[in-house]
Amino acid sequence: MANKNKKYLSNYSIENIAQSIVQDNPTGKKFSPEDKKRLYEERLKLLDEFPQLKALLSLNHIHSLPSPRAKSIGRLAIIPPEIIVVDSRIQDMCSLPFWTYYGSGEGSFGRCAGVGTFSCCPPFAPKAEKVQEMLNGADIFLAFQFKPMIIGSGSGDPGEQFRIINKLTDEINALLGDGAVVQKFGGGPCFACFPEACLCEGKCQAPQLRVHSLEGMGICVDQLSKDAAFLTGDEKWKITWIKGFGTDDQTPKKAKGNLGLAIKVKP
């Protein structure tokens, strides 16, 4: 009877599915807004103790990285790893069907083509329980987000975001020691080897460059973005889920991707 007045989400928008998972997840239930703010302030104070690392984890430095897309990163935030919602049901959402259009055909209705194909996509990605262990071993989580861009615009090189992630990872590990970056997280299927094709089906020709997606690892990007907006006061962190992806009627027309690094600061 204790939950009789609790409001549950009832429709099947992507946001409401994600938020229903958050409401039913132990981490989603555990931390109040006050808890999140306190943990956030603690992590900012921790980062102040490492000025060289703080300089690396800045927009000024990231914009200086040798990648045309580096300057397209619009914001970053230091998130307490313990508040991040990881759930196998987020991984399951990669298999939700949607309309995709390639070429001049009528399109097809099915799950993301990466599922069961690319070696960094489910079921080849680590299980949510393993990802939770990774976050438990981190002190801070660096979340960063690209500025909104027209899909298909920019460099046209899907490997660029992964070069940014791997370059920053190398710099952090060089500063703090190998293994300081506990895990790398990208947006969408891994193209770290582009223009070479993925070996697929769990095989990887460059494991040191491999970057699993946030969603494919079970991280709720919807909640991560909401928490980043709440903690930093920057409402631009919040995401609007695209409708009619890849069609003439797509709304919104622009998209922005989220990336992340789980970092162990203390020895």
Side-chain angles (χ1 to χ4, degrees):
M1 298 299 291
N3 291 327
K4 67 178 182 178
N5 295 321
K6 186 176 178 66
K7 183 179 180 180
Y8 292 98
L9 301 170
S10 58
N11 72 42
Y12 290 94
S13 72
I14 296 298
E15 181 179 10
N16 278 4
I17 294 172
Q19 286 302 307
S20 291
I21 293 170
V22 171
Q23 288 185 18
D24 194 44
N25 178 276
T27 299
K29 297 176 182 179
K30 182 176 181 180
F31 297 101
S32 68
E34 293 76 18
D35 292 332
K36 292 180 179 182
K37 275 289 190 182
R38 173 179 53 80
L39 292 168
Y40 174 62
E41 295 296 335
E42 289 177 0
R43 294 313 190 279
L44 293 182
K45 289 179 181 178
L46 173 63
L47 191 56
D48 284 339
E49 298 176 15
F50 297 86
Q52 289 178 290
L53 177 63
K54 186 175 181 178
L56 289 181
L57 307 186
S58 68
L59 281 178
N60 282 340
H61 177 70
I62 291 174
H63 288 169
S64 74
L65 295 177
S67 166
R69 282 199 70 189
K71 289 184 173 61
S72 297
I73 293 175
R75 58 196 59 84
L76 57 82
I78 302 300
I79 306 294
E82 56 264 56
I83 75 170
I84 295 175
V85 173
V86 186
D87 199 294
S88 63
R89 290 168 291 185
I90 296 294
Q91 294 175 307
D92 293 341
M93 289 178 71
C94 292
S95 295
L96 288 178
F98 63 103
W99 280 102
T100 55
Y101 295 83
Y102 297 100
S104 58
E106 294 184 354
S108 61
F109 186 69
R111 69 187 186 186
C112 175
V115 176
T117 303
F118 292 132
S119 295
C120 275
C121 293
F124 308 116
K127 301 300 183 186
E129 294 80 7
K130 178 65 176 177
V131 178
Q132 186 66 66
E133 290 177 12
M134 295 174 184
L135 293 181
N136 291 345
D139 298 309
I140 61 174
F141 186 93
L142 174 70
F144 42 120
Q145 186 181 77
F146 284 106
K147 299 173 185 176
M149 295 177 287
I150 298 291
I151 294 175
S153 68
S155 69
D157 182 348
E160 288 240 1
Q161 68 157 300
F162 303 98
R163 285 191 281 277
I164 294 170
I165 292 171
N166 280 312
K167 175 61 176 174
L168 188 57
T169 294
D170 288 344
E171 292 181 337
I172 295 170
N173 284 337
L175 176 65
L176 299 179
D178 288 342
V181 174
V182 177
Q183 183 60 44
K184 304 173 286 188
F185 301 88
C190 179
F191 284 96
C193 293
F194 186 84
E196 294 184 46
C198 180
L199 295 179
C200 296
E201 297 181 348
K203 305 179 185 70
C204 182
Q205 57 196 334
Q208 75 281 7
L209 301 178
R210 178 171 52 195
V211 182
H212 296 276
S213 73
L214 287 156
E215 299 94 332
M217 296 278 266
I219 290 181
C220 183
V221 175
D222 188 76
Q223 186 60 41
L224 180 67
S225 299
K226 285 179 168 65
D227 282 335
F230 168 67
L231 294 172
T232 65
D234 183 357
E235 291 293 304
K236 291 181 180 180
W237 268 105
K238 293 182 179 179
I239 57 178
T240 299
W241 290 97
I242 288 174
K243 296 180 180 179
F245 181 80
T247 70
D248 292 339
D249 297 327
Q250 176 180 312
T251 55
K253 296 295 185 183
K254 294 183 177 181
K256 53 186 182 182
N258 287 11
L259 316 175
L261 294 176
I263 305 169
K264 184 175 179 59
V265 176
K266 295 177 288 188

